[in-house]
Amino acid sequence: MEAFNTHINLPCIPYAFTTISSASCAFPGSITGTVTPWMDTRIWSRLPHRLIDRIIAFLPPAAFFRSRSVCKRWYALLFSTQFLEMYLQVSPLRHCFIFFKLKSLKSHIYKNNNAPYNIDQNRLNCEGYMFDPQTITWHCLSFPLIPPGYSPSSSSGGLICWVSDEAGPKTIFLSNPLFGSLTPLPSTLRPRLFPSVGLSVSNSSIDIVLAGDDMISPYAVKNLTTESFHIDSSGFYSIWGTTSSLPRLCSLESGQMINLRTKFYCMNYSPFSVLTYDISSNLWCKIQAPMKRFLRSPNLVVINNKLVLVAAVEKSKLNVPKSLRLWALQSCGAAWAEIDRMPLQLYAQFEAEENGRGFNCVGNGEYAAVVIRGSGKAVLFDMGMKRWQWIPACPYGNGGGELHGFAYNPKLATPVTGLLDQLPLPF
């Protein structure tokens, strides 16, 4: 459990999690008024601590942090190795989204190193806004340990990947906002400007992939190579030692890669296609996109463990109504099947709000969020219920900037980062 032995300013942690919800969220032990037989103190006071800890381990993150105000013992659970080990075994996986308000995904390009850092922008970058699609609630997470000059680039296994903005070899941090940890990684070997970043974190391994935007001169970039980082609990590691050439004439504009099992996926532009990187074989391949001549703002997401392409379709010349559609990649790995589309009435409202600016998508579990660029407005799709609805506006951030999001599975503990302390090389 080395990941828990971290130098943290502990007093800041209880104030890193704030919530806005339309529903009452009182903890059972704090109920006042009429006492029901279920809340008889003679029963609850005799429960063994281990059983109470097991109940607490099932609480959602926001409820857990509220429960820490009940007593000293509950407050200390976050730092209890025994509790966190049990938490990792029994706590259910929660499918959420985390958003950051960024002025532009590439606003840092060619930034003057001598210019003063934008304090307001840094504050926005160091605040994350977690959206829970099951309860339709927003929560504010702070990142007080993130130094200036870093931007969120990916998320997996409860960790957020932060990559340096400056051109050159990239420095990377992995952060768990719930526990307040910040873990550095070795710098990349090749100088890059704005690479696409993929992250895959399991209970026993970490994989990071950076692709494209190779700096061939101080004034020019080209999509040439991929470099990857791997470490696992068996003791095997590769510190940016695995490289691969990108397909010729590829265009990676989104800056994001999606992970599904042992592969990373990203959109290729002009013309549209999907690029796939297989970690095990260290090879790239290309998958043709459906209706590629008529797509607008294509995005890749993972829904129900399937790769899904979300895009607007415009075939007005062929008398086909405009729509926003979802296709799932079939098991053969080359064919797509349409699985749903936004209702026409809702799409008319969405199109009026979007006004040609485009949109970004993020998926997790059974949910996908479609966020209009340059706006805080978004639509939530529930695959299980086949339901589309507008998401309430994010109440944090004081406006400004556009929402840029990732799939996020909140976890109180991510002990896999302790593997990085075992690397024999200093960095």
Side-chain angles (χ1 to χ4, degrees):
M1 307 299 289
E2 294 89 344
F4 308 138
N5 297 326
T6 180
H7 299 288
I8 303 295
N9 183 13
L10 297 181
C12 74
I13 293 177
Y15 307 100
F17 206 113
T18 55
T19 308
I20 286 187
S21 171
S22 58
S24 172
C25 46
F27 188 75
S30 65
I31 295 177
T32 59
T34 304
V35 178
T36 66
W38 297 105
M39 299 306 299
D40 191 331
T41 56
R42 292 174 297 178
I43 299 176
W44 285 86
S45 62
R46 295 177 182 176
L47 290 178
H49 286 317
R50 186 163 181 80
L51 178 57
I52 295 177
D53 292 351
R54 192 176 182 89
I55 295 172
I56 294 176
F58 280 87
L59 292 177
F64 170 81
F65 278 88
R66 287 194 302 270
S67 72
R68 296 181 71 212
S69 63
V70 172
C71 63
K72 290 182 179 180
R73 184 181 178 279
W74 288 16
Y75 179 86
L77 287 178
L78 185 61
F79 313 109
S80 167
T81 300
Q82 183 179 7
F83 171 78
L84 292 175
E85 287 178 344
M86 180 181 62
Y87 167 87
L88 291 172
Q89 295 175 4
V90 304
S91 179
L93 183 64
R94 304 186 186 280
H95 300 289
C96 300
F97 304 111
I98 188 166
F99 294 94
F100 298 87
K101 289 192 175 180
L102 305 178
K103 289 184 177 179
S104 171
L105 294 184
K106 297 190 178 183
S107 61
H108 55 269
I109 293 182
Y110 299 120
K111 182 167 55 180
N112 184 355
N113 293 334
N114 298 322
Y117 193 75
N118 188 326
I119 296 177
D120 290 338
Q121 182 62 23
N122 182 48
R123 181 185 64 79
L124 287 178
N125 281 356
C126 291
E127 281 187 354
Y129 312 110
M130 188 181 80
F131 177 72
D132 187 337
Q134 292 184 315
T135 58
I136 314 296
T137 54
W138 289 93
H139 311 278
C140 183
L141 304 178
S142 65
F143 296 82
L145 302 179
I146 301 297
Y150 287 79
S151 296
S153 299
S154 189
S155 173
S156 178
L159 296 172
I160 310 298
C161 178
W162 297 78
V163 178
S164 58
D165 295 337
E166 298 297 337
K170 296 297 182 179
T171 56
I172 297 174
F173 289 103
L174 296 180
S175 171
N176 182 341
L178 299 190
F179 186 70
S181 65
L182 187 66
T183 307
L185 271 73
S187 297
T188 61
L189 302 180
R190 297 185 63 91
R192 300 179 187 274
L193 187 58
F194 188 74
S196 297
V197 180
L199 174 67
S200 175
V201 177
S202 70
N203 292 331
S204 58
S205 66
I206 300 174
D207 286 280
I208 305 177
V209 176
L210 270 70
D213 258 17
D214 302 69
M215 298 188 68
I216 58 178
S217 78
Y219 309 102
V221 296
K222 194 172 183 180
N223 293 318
L224 297 175
T225 65
T226 304
E227 54 187 326
S228 59
F229 174 94
H230 172 86
I231 188 169
D232 59 45
S233 57
S234 69
F236 177 76
Y237 62 90
S238 174
I239 305 177
W240 307 114
T242 304
T243 59
S244 177
S245 298
L246 285 166
R248 293 180 64 252
L249 305 178
C250 65
S251 176
L252 312 176
E253 297 182 5
S254 67
Q256 254 187 290
M257 302 178 75
I258 303 299
N259 172 251
L260 181 60
R261 300 180 185 91
T262 62
K263 295 182 179 180
F264 287 93
Y265 300 87
C266 58
M267 283 301 306
N268 184 46
Y269 297 81
S270 301
F272 292 130
S273 62
V274 177
L275 297 180
T276 305
Y277 175 64
D278 191 324
I279 301 175
S280 57
S281 64
N282 192 32
L283 293 175
W284 285 88
C285 67
K286 184 180 293 185
I287 304 173
Q288 295 297 325
M291 303 178 67
K292 61 182 181 180
R293 294 173 53 195
F294 308 101
L295 299 183
R296 186 170 62 83
S297 292
N299 289 260
L300 294 175
V301 299
V302 174
I303 305 177
N304 283 344
N305 292 318
K306 292 184 178 180
L307 183 71
V308 175
L309 175 65
V310 183
V313 175
E314 297 181 346
K315 294 179 61 178
S316 55
K317 293 183 179 180
L318 299 180
N319 199 29
V320 175
K322 297 180 180 180
S323 59
L324 188 144
R325 306 187 188 185
L326 290 80
W327 296 267
L329 184 65
Q330 301 302 289
S331 57
C332 64
W336 300 84
E338 183 175 331
I339 57 175
D340 212 300
R341 64 178 66 181
M342 185 180 290
L344 290 179
Q345 184 177 1
L346 178 61
Y347 182 74
Q349 302 174 9
F350 179 85
E351 186 181 31
E353 291 286 349
E354 184 232 357
N355 196 26
R357 290 176 292 183
F359 51 87
N360 300 316
C361 299
V362 57
N364 198 5
E366 294 186 341
Y367 303 96
V370 185
V371 184
I372 298 174
R373 293 175 186 165
S375 166
K377 296 185 177 181
V379 173
L380 179 68
F381 172 61
D382 184 339
M383 171 70 80
M385 301 295 293
K386 296 292 183 179
R387 180 174 58 198
W388 297 79
Q389 66 183 92
W390 287 100
I391 295 177
C394 177
Y396 304 104
N398 299 322
E402 70 177 50
L403 291 175
H404 179 55
F406 309 99
Y408 178 57
N409 306 116
K411 293 186 177 181
L412 297 180
T414 49
V416 68
T417 56
L419 297 174
L420 298 173
D421 298 333
Q422 303 172 15
L423 289 176
L425 298 179
F427 58 88

